[in-house]
Amino acid sequence: MKGKWNEVPTSTFMRQLFQTSNLPAFFRQNQQTMEVPALTEHLRQLCADRGLVPERVIRAASIDRTYGHQIFNGTRRPSRDKVLQLAFGLGVGVEETQRLLRLADRSPLYPKLRRDAIILYCLNRRKTLAETQELLQSMELTILGGDNGYGG
């Protein structure tokens, strides 16, 4: 990844922030660390790191080809469900999925919500999108990309 955003653990960074006596100097010293990458940049980097091409990720995520490319080039802002579908398409785990949701300015998965709990379970177990959709449907919950009030 370009920059230092992922190199400093958040807890360490927060401790340093709370201990500083000169906030402007702290910001100057940590400018790179505080630059959050754009979702599109992060998606491209994840693809590069995994040897994937966007077309393959979009197909694995069961997202319309045109819409998927618009997400990758930054002309469309994905819904929460689309970000989750992309996470499955990329084959990432829970932590990286939560990061993608943050970068997309979407709410994180919350284990006390049944639907989110199932998605977390599937991500943790490295289930495919199809397996996740099947489990959601068997539990009578809206599948990813369905009409559920999340803007999916």
PDB file of all heavy atoms in Angstrom, residues 16-44:
ATOM      1  N   GLN A  16      -0.315   8.070  20.897  1.00  0.00           N
ATOM      2  CA  GLN A  16       0.595   9.160  20.534  1.00  0.00           C
ATOM      3  C   GLN A  16      -0.165  10.484  20.409  1.00  0.00           C
ATOM      4  O   GLN A  16       0.332  11.531  20.847  1.00  0.00           O
ATOM      5  CB  GLN A  16       1.309   8.840  19.227  1.00  0.00           C
ATOM      6  CG  GLN A  16       2.283   7.703  19.334  1.00  0.00           C
ATOM      7  CD  GLN A  16       2.800   7.242  17.983  1.00  0.00           C
ATOM      8  OE1 GLN A  16       2.329   7.679  16.929  1.00  0.00           O
ATOM      9  NE2 GLN A  16       3.782   6.341  18.003  1.00  0.00           N
ATOM     10  N   LEU A  17      -1.355  10.426  19.834  1.00  0.00           N
ATOM     11  CA  LEU A  17      -2.188  11.625  19.702  1.00  0.00           C
ATOM     12  C   LEU A  17      -2.526  12.203  21.073  1.00  0.00           C
ATOM     13  O   LEU A  17      -2.399  13.404  21.313  1.00  0.00           O
ATOM     14  CB  LEU A  17      -3.482  11.292  18.946  1.00  0.00           C
ATOM     15  CG  LEU A  17      -4.564  12.373  18.915  1.00  0.00           C
ATOM     16  CD1 LEU A  17      -4.080  13.592  18.131  1.00  0.00           C
ATOM     17  CD2 LEU A  17      -5.833  11.814  18.304  1.00  0.00           C
ATOM     18  N   PHE A  18      -2.934  11.338  21.992  1.00  0.00           N
ATOM     19  CA  PHE A  18      -3.324  11.799  23.333  1.00  0.00           C
ATOM     20  C   PHE A  18      -2.131  12.331  24.131  1.00  0.00           C
ATOM     21  O   PHE A  18      -2.294  13.154  25.015  1.00  0.00           O
ATOM     22  CB  PHE A  18      -4.010  10.681  24.105  1.00  0.00           C
ATOM     23  CG  PHE A  18      -5.375  10.318  23.567  1.00  0.00           C
ATOM     24  CD1 PHE A  18      -5.977   9.131  23.956  1.00  0.00           C
ATOM     25  CD2 PHE A  18      -6.063  11.124  22.675  1.00  0.00           C
ATOM     26  CE1 PHE A  18      -7.244   8.780  23.471  1.00  0.00           C
ATOM     27  CE2 PHE A  18      -7.309  10.788  22.191  1.00  0.00           C
ATOM     28  CZ  PHE A  18      -7.891   9.614  22.596  1.00  0.00           C
ATOM     29  N   GLN A  19      -0.926  11.859  23.816  1.00  0.00           N
ATOM     30  CA  GLN A  19       0.263  12.278  24.566  1.00  0.00           C
ATOM     31  C   GLN A  19       0.939  13.526  24.005  1.00  0.00           C
ATOM     32  O   GLN A  19       1.773  14.116  24.677  1.00  0.00           O
ATOM     33  CB  GLN A  19       1.283  11.125  24.607  1.00  0.00           C
ATOM     34  CG  GLN A  19       0.823   9.967  25.446  1.00  0.00           C
ATOM     35  CD  GLN A  19       1.767   8.776  25.367  1.00  0.00           C
ATOM     36  OE1 GLN A  19       2.683   8.742  24.551  1.00  0.00           O
ATOM     37  NE2 GLN A  19       1.532   7.794  26.227  1.00  0.00           N
ATOM     38  N   THR A  20       0.558  13.935  22.803  1.00  0.00           N
ATOM     39  CA  THR A  20       1.237  15.088  22.198  1.00  0.00           C
ATOM     40  C   THR A  20       0.857  16.386  22.914  1.00  0.00           C
ATOM     41  O   THR A  20      -0.269  16.553  23.380  1.00  0.00           O
ATOM     42  CB  THR A  20       0.934  15.209  20.686  1.00  0.00           C
ATOM     43  OG1 THR A  20       1.819  16.189  20.144  1.00  0.00           O
ATOM     44  CG2 THR A  20      -0.503  15.623  20.426  1.00  0.00           C
ATOM     45  N   SER A  21       1.825  17.273  22.987  1.00  0.00           N
ATOM     46  CA  SER A  21       1.561  18.594  23.566  1.00  0.00           C
ATOM     47  C   SER A  21       1.466  19.654  22.468  1.00  0.00           C
ATOM     48  O   SER A  21       1.122  20.794  22.741  1.00  0.00           O
ATOM     49  CB  SER A  21       2.660  18.967  24.571  1.00  0.00           C
ATOM     50  OG  SER A  21       3.910  18.970  23.918  1.00  0.00           O
ATOM     51  N   ASN A  22       1.790  19.259  21.235  1.00  0.00           N
ATOM     52  CA  ASN A  22       1.769  20.196  20.118  1.00  0.00           C
ATOM     53  C   ASN A  22       1.018  19.546  18.957  1.00  0.00           C
ATOM     54  O   ASN A  22       1.616  18.842  18.136  1.00  0.00           O
ATOM     55  CB  ASN A  22       3.211  20.541  19.729  1.00  0.00           C
ATOM     56  CG  ASN A  22       3.277  21.609  18.664  1.00  0.00           C
ATOM     57  OD1 ASN A  22       2.325  21.819  17.907  1.00  0.00           O
ATOM     58  ND2 ASN A  22       4.423  22.265  18.575  1.00  0.00           N
ATOM     59  N   LEU A  23      -0.290  19.790  18.887  1.00  0.00           N
ATOM     60  CA  LEU A  23      -1.131  19.158  17.882  1.00  0.00           C
ATOM     61  C   LEU A  23      -0.729  19.506  16.442  1.00  0.00           C
ATOM     62  O   LEU A  23      -0.622  18.599  15.612  1.00  0.00           O
ATOM     63  CB  LEU A  23      -2.599  19.497  18.139  1.00  0.00           C
ATOM     64  CG  LEU A  23      -3.632  18.632  17.457  1.00  0.00           C
ATOM     65  CD1 LEU A  23      -3.442  17.154  17.788  1.00  0.00           C
ATOM     66  CD2 LEU A  23      -5.034  19.079  17.839  1.00  0.00           C
ATOM     67  N   PRO A  24      -0.468  20.779  16.106  1.00  0.00           N
ATOM     68  CA  PRO A  24      -0.040  21.078  14.735  1.00  0.00           C
ATOM     69  C   PRO A  24       1.241  20.318  14.335  1.00  0.00           C
ATOM     70  O   PRO A  24       1.350  19.810  13.226  1.00  0.00           O
ATOM     71  CB  PRO A  24       0.182  22.592  14.737  1.00  0.00           C
ATOM     72  CG  PRO A  24      -0.725  23.088  15.820  1.00  0.00           C
ATOM     73  CD  PRO A  24      -0.678  22.007  16.882  1.00  0.00           C
ATOM     74  N   ALA A  25       2.198  20.237  15.243  1.00  0.00           N
ATOM     75  CA  ALA A  25       3.438  19.496  14.953  1.00  0.00           C
ATOM     76  C   ALA A  25       3.138  18.009  14.775  1.00  0.00           C
ATOM     77  O   ALA A  25       3.709  17.354  13.896  1.00  0.00           O
ATOM     78  CB  ALA A  25       4.455  19.699  16.078  1.00  0.00           C
ATOM     79  N   PHE A  26       2.257  17.478  15.595  1.00  0.00           N
ATOM     80  CA  PHE A  26       1.870  16.068  15.471  1.00  0.00           C
ATOM     81  C   PHE A  26       1.272  15.799  14.096  1.00  0.00           C
ATOM     82  O   PHE A  26       1.604  14.815  13.444  1.00  0.00           O
ATOM     83  CB  PHE A  26       0.866  15.710  16.581  1.00  0.00           C
ATOM     84  CG  PHE A  26       0.350  14.300  16.503  1.00  0.00           C
ATOM     85  CD1 PHE A  26       1.085  13.246  17.027  1.00  0.00           C
ATOM     86  CD2 PHE A  26      -0.866  14.028  15.896  1.00  0.00           C
ATOM     87  CE1 PHE A  26       0.622  11.944  16.955  1.00  0.00           C
ATOM     88  CE2 PHE A  26      -1.345  12.729  15.809  1.00  0.00           C
ATOM     89  CZ  PHE A  26      -0.596  11.684  16.342  1.00  0.00           C
ATOM     90  N   PHE A  27       0.398  16.689  13.649  1.00  0.00           N
ATOM     91  CA  PHE A  27      -0.218  16.529  12.329  1.00  0.00           C
ATOM     92  C   PHE A  27       0.834  16.590  11.219  1.00  0.00           C
ATOM     93  O   PHE A  27       0.798  15.808  10.275  1.00  0.00           O
ATOM     94  CB  PHE A  27      -1.297  17.575  12.083  1.00  0.00           C
ATOM     95  CG  PHE A  27      -2.577  17.339  12.856  1.00  0.00           C
ATOM     96  CD1 PHE A  27      -3.416  18.388  13.150  1.00  0.00           C
ATOM     97  CD2 PHE A  27      -2.950  16.072  13.281  1.00  0.00           C
ATOM     98  CE1 PHE A  27      -4.604  18.187  13.846  1.00  0.00           C
ATOM     99  CE2 PHE A  27      -4.121  15.853  13.970  1.00  0.00           C
ATOM    100  CZ  PHE A  27      -4.948  16.911  14.257  1.00  0.00           C
ATOM    101  N   ARG A  28       1.777  17.529  11.337  1.00  0.00           N
ATOM    102  CA  ARG A  28       2.840  17.630  10.324  1.00  0.00           C
ATOM    103  C   ARG A  28       3.682  16.354  10.291  1.00  0.00           C
ATOM    104  O   ARG A  28       3.978  15.824   9.229  1.00  0.00           O
ATOM    105  CB  ARG A  28       3.733  18.844  10.594  1.00  0.00           C
ATOM    106  CG  ARG A  28       3.143  20.167  10.125  1.00  0.00           C
ATOM    107  CD  ARG A  28       4.184  21.300  10.168  1.00  0.00           C
ATOM    108  NE  ARG A  28       4.784  21.493  11.486  1.00  0.00           N
ATOM    109  CZ  ARG A  28       4.228  22.193  12.483  1.00  0.00           C
ATOM    110  NH1 ARG A  28       3.047  22.769  12.318  1.00  0.00           N
ATOM    111  NH2 ARG A  28       4.847  22.322  13.633  1.00  0.00           N
ATOM    112  N   GLN A  29       4.034  15.850  11.462  1.00  0.00           N
ATOM    113  CA  GLN A  29       4.888  14.659  11.553  1.00  0.00           C
ATOM    114  C   GLN A  29       4.174  13.397  11.062  1.00  0.00           C
ATOM    115  O   GLN A  29       4.818  12.459  10.618  1.00  0.00           O
ATOM    116  CB  GLN A  29       5.347  14.437  13.000  1.00  0.00           C
ATOM    117  CG  GLN A  29       6.334  15.450  13.484  1.00  0.00           C
ATOM    118  CD  GLN A  29       6.578  15.318  14.976  1.00  0.00           C
ATOM    119  OE1 GLN A  29       5.761  14.778  15.722  1.00  0.00           O
ATOM    120  NE2 GLN A  29       7.719  15.830  15.424  1.00  0.00           N
ATOM    121  N   ASN A  30       2.871  13.378  11.164  1.00  0.00           N
ATOM    122  CA  ASN A  30       2.112  12.156  10.853  1.00  0.00           C
ATOM    123  C   ASN A  30       1.199  12.311   9.643  1.00  0.00           C
ATOM    124  O   ASN A  30       0.253  11.550   9.484  1.00  0.00           O
ATOM    125  CB  ASN A  30       1.288  11.744  12.077  1.00  0.00           C
ATOM    126  CG  ASN A  30       2.170  11.310  13.210  1.00  0.00           C
ATOM    127  OD1 ASN A  30       2.732  10.223  13.176  1.00  0.00           O
ATOM    128  ND2 ASN A  30       2.328  12.167  14.208  1.00  0.00           N
ATOM    129  N   GLN A  31       1.499  13.280   8.803  1.00  0.00           N
ATOM    130  CA  GLN A  31       0.644  13.564   7.652  1.00  0.00           C
ATOM    131  C   GLN A  31       0.403  12.322   6.798  1.00  0.00           C
ATOM    132  O   GLN A  31      -0.729  12.014   6.441  1.00  0.00           O
ATOM    133  CB  GLN A  31       1.249  14.675   6.812  1.00  0.00           C
ATOM    134  CG  GLN A  31       0.386  15.090   5.648  1.00  0.00           C
ATOM    135  CD  GLN A  31       0.977  16.268   4.905  1.00  0.00           C
ATOM    136  OE1 GLN A  31       2.030  16.777   5.240  1.00  0.00           O
ATOM    137  NE2 GLN A  31       0.275  16.692   3.864  1.00  0.00           N
ATOM    138  N   GLN A  32       1.461  11.576   6.474  1.00  0.00           N
ATOM    139  CA  GLN A  32       1.303  10.382   5.640  1.00  0.00           C
ATOM    140  C   GLN A  32       0.451   9.321   6.326  1.00  0.00           C
ATOM    141  O   GLN A  32      -0.346   8.651   5.689  1.00  0.00           O
ATOM    142  CB  GLN A  32       2.654   9.782   5.288  1.00  0.00           C
ATOM    143  CG  GLN A  32       3.130  10.153   3.910  1.00  0.00           C
ATOM    144  CD  GLN A  32       4.312   9.295   3.522  1.00  0.00           C
ATOM    145  OE1 GLN A  32       5.258   9.169   4.273  1.00  0.00           O
ATOM    146  NE2 GLN A  32       4.245   8.714   2.350  1.00  0.00           N
ATOM    147  N   THR A  33       0.649   9.169   7.601  1.00  0.00           N
ATOM    148  CA  THR A  33      -0.104   8.165   8.363  1.00  0.00           C
ATOM    149  C   THR A  33      -1.596   8.484   8.358  1.00  0.00           C
ATOM    150  O   THR A  33      -2.425   7.584   8.396  1.00  0.00           O
ATOM    151  CB  THR A  33       0.407   8.113   9.825  1.00  0.00           C
ATOM    152  OG1 THR A  33       1.796   7.835   9.799  1.00  0.00           O
ATOM    153  CG2 THR A  33      -0.310   7.049  10.623  1.00  0.00           C
ATOM    154  N   MET A  34      -1.933   9.767   8.291  1.00  0.00           N
ATOM    155  CA  MET A  34      -3.325  10.187   8.386  1.00  0.00           C
ATOM    156  C   MET A  34      -4.021  10.292   7.028  1.00  0.00           C
ATOM    157  O   MET A  34      -5.204  10.579   6.969  1.00  0.00           O
ATOM    158  CB  MET A  34      -3.407  11.521   9.133  1.00  0.00           C
ATOM    159  CG  MET A  34      -2.910  11.394  10.566  1.00  0.00           C
ATOM    160  SD  MET A  34      -2.881  12.951  11.435  1.00  0.00           S
ATOM    161  CE  MET A  34      -4.625  13.130  11.790  1.00  0.00           C
ATOM    162  N   GLU A  35      -3.292  10.057   5.944  1.00  0.00           N
ATOM    163  CA  GLU A  35      -3.903  10.099   4.621  1.00  0.00           C
ATOM    164  C   GLU A  35      -4.593   8.776   4.346  1.00  0.00           C
ATOM    165  O   GLU A  35      -3.945   7.758   4.123  1.00  0.00           O
ATOM    166  CB  GLU A  35      -2.847  10.383   3.552  1.00  0.00           C
ATOM    167  CG  GLU A  35      -2.323  11.795   3.601  1.00  0.00           C
ATOM    168  CD  GLU A  35      -1.220  12.049   2.583  1.00  0.00           C
ATOM    169  OE1 GLU A  35      -0.888  11.144   1.809  1.00  0.00           O
ATOM    170  OE2 GLU A  35      -0.703  13.169   2.589  1.00  0.00           O
ATOM    171  N   VAL A  36      -5.905   8.799   4.393  1.00  0.00           N
ATOM    172  CA  VAL A  36      -6.686   7.596   4.154  1.00  0.00           C
ATOM    173  C   VAL A  36      -6.821   7.398   2.649  1.00  0.00           C
ATOM    174  O   VAL A  36      -7.227   8.312   1.935  1.00  0.00           O
ATOM    175  CB  VAL A  36      -8.089   7.722   4.805  1.00  0.00           C
ATOM    176  CG1 VAL A  36      -8.925   6.492   4.525  1.00  0.00           C
ATOM    177  CG2 VAL A  36      -7.946   7.944   6.306  1.00  0.00           C
ATOM    178  N   PRO A  37      -6.490   6.199   2.153  1.00  0.00           N
ATOM    179  CA  PRO A  37      -6.595   5.988   0.707  1.00  0.00           C
ATOM    180  C   PRO A  37      -8.048   5.995   0.251  1.00  0.00           C
ATOM    181  O   PRO A  37      -8.958   5.655   1.006  1.00  0.00           O
ATOM    182  CB  PRO A  37      -5.982   4.592   0.512  1.00  0.00           C
ATOM    183  CG  PRO A  37      -6.111   3.927   1.837  1.00  0.00           C
ATOM    184  CD  PRO A  37      -6.060   5.015   2.866  1.00  0.00           C
ATOM    185  N   ALA A  38      -8.245   6.380  -0.977  1.00  0.00           N
ATOM    186  CA  ALA A  38      -9.585   6.338  -1.558  1.00  0.00           C
ATOM    187  C   ALA A  38      -9.972   4.876  -1.757  1.00  0.00           C
ATOM    188  O   ALA A  38      -9.114   4.011  -1.952  1.00  0.00           O
ATOM    189  CB  ALA A  38      -9.589   7.078  -2.890  1.00  0.00           C
ATOM    190  N   LEU A  39     -11.259   4.608  -1.720  1.00  0.00           N
ATOM    191  CA  LEU A  39     -11.744   3.250  -1.921  1.00  0.00           C
ATOM    192  C   LEU A  39     -11.232   2.683  -3.237  1.00  0.00           C
ATOM    193  O   LEU A  39     -10.761   1.546  -3.289  1.00  0.00           O
ATOM    194  CB  LEU A  39     -13.279   3.206  -1.881  1.00  0.00           C
ATOM    195  CG  LEU A  39     -13.899   1.841  -2.174  1.00  0.00           C
ATOM    196  CD1 LEU A  39     -13.538   0.832  -1.097  1.00  0.00           C
ATOM    197  CD2 LEU A  39     -15.412   1.967  -2.306  1.00  0.00           C
ATOM    198  N   THR A  40     -11.306   3.474  -4.301  1.00  0.00           N
ATOM    199  CA  THR A  40     -10.882   2.972  -5.616  1.00  0.00           C
ATOM    200  C   THR A  40      -9.398   2.597  -5.607  1.00  0.00           C
ATOM    201  O   THR A  40      -9.015   1.560  -6.143  1.00  0.00           O
ATOM    202  CB  THR A  40     -11.161   4.009  -6.722  1.00  0.00           C
ATOM    203  OG1 THR A  40     -10.522   5.239  -6.390  1.00  0.00           O
ATOM    204  CG2 THR A  40     -12.638   4.245  -6.890  1.00  0.00           C
ATOM    205  N   GLU A  41      -8.579   3.435  -4.983  1.00  0.00           N
ATOM    206  CA  GLU A  41      -7.144   3.152  -4.884  1.00  0.00           C
ATOM    207  C   GLU A  41      -6.920   1.858  -4.098  1.00  0.00           C
ATOM    208  O   GLU A  41      -6.108   1.009  -4.477  1.00  0.00           O
ATOM    209  CB  GLU A  41      -6.441   4.323  -4.198  1.00  0.00           C
ATOM    210  CG  GLU A  41      -4.966   4.138  -3.983  1.00  0.00           C
ATOM    211  CD  GLU A  41      -4.364   5.265  -3.158  1.00  0.00           C
ATOM    212  OE1 GLU A  41      -4.815   6.420  -3.263  1.00  0.00           O
ATOM    213  OE2 GLU A  41      -3.425   4.972  -2.400  1.00  0.00           O
ATOM    214  N   HIS A  42      -7.650   1.707  -3.017  1.00  0.00           N
ATOM    215  CA  HIS A  42      -7.501   0.518  -2.170  1.00  0.00           C
ATOM    216  C   HIS A  42      -7.955  -0.746  -2.915  1.00  0.00           C
ATOM    217  O   HIS A  42      -7.284  -1.781  -2.830  1.00  0.00           O
ATOM    218  CB  HIS A  42      -8.286   0.706  -0.867  1.00  0.00           C
ATOM    219  CG  HIS A  42      -7.954  -0.297   0.178  1.00  0.00           C
ATOM    220  ND1 HIS A  42      -6.724  -0.350   0.796  1.00  0.00           N
ATOM    221  CD2 HIS A  42      -8.681  -1.305   0.700  1.00  0.00           C
ATOM    222  CE1 HIS A  42      -6.715  -1.342   1.662  1.00  0.00           C
ATOM    223  NE2 HIS A  42      -7.890  -1.942   1.618  1.00  0.00           N
ATOM    224  N   LEU A  43      -9.054  -0.654  -3.639  1.00  0.00           N
ATOM    225  CA  LEU A  43      -9.526  -1.808  -4.414  1.00  0.00           C
ATOM    226  C   LEU A  43      -8.488  -2.216  -5.458  1.00  0.00           C
ATOM    227  O   LEU A  43      -8.199  -3.413  -5.621  1.00  0.00           O
ATOM    228  CB  LEU A  43     -10.855  -1.484  -5.107  1.00  0.00           C
ATOM    229  CG  LEU A  43     -12.094  -1.424  -4.225  1.00  0.00           C
ATOM    230  CD1 LEU A  43     -13.279  -0.877  -5.007  1.00  0.00           C
ATOM    231  CD2 LEU A  43     -12.410  -2.799  -3.656  1.00  0.00           C
ATOM    232  N   ARG A  44      -7.933  -1.238  -6.150  1.00  0.00           N
ATOM    233  CA  ARG A  44      -6.917  -1.539  -7.167  1.00  0.00           C
ATOM    234  C   ARG A  44      -5.684  -2.189  -6.542  1.00  0.00           C
ATOM    235  O   ARG A  44      -5.114  -3.124  -7.085  1.00  0.00           O
ATOM    236  CB  ARG A  44      -6.518  -0.274  -7.927  1.00  0.00           C
ATOM    237  CG  ARG A  44      -7.549   0.131  -8.950  1.00  0.00           C
ATOM    238  CD  ARG A  44      -7.019   1.232  -9.881  1.00  0.00           C
ATOM    239  NE  ARG A  44      -8.122   2.146 -10.128  1.00  0.00           N
ATOM    240  CZ  ARG A  44      -8.199   3.389  -9.663  1.00  0.00           C
ATOM    241  NH1 ARG A  44      -7.223   3.907  -8.978  1.00  0.00           N
ATOM    242  NH2 ARG A  44      -9.242   4.134  -9.921  1.00  0.00           N
TER     243      ARG A  44
END
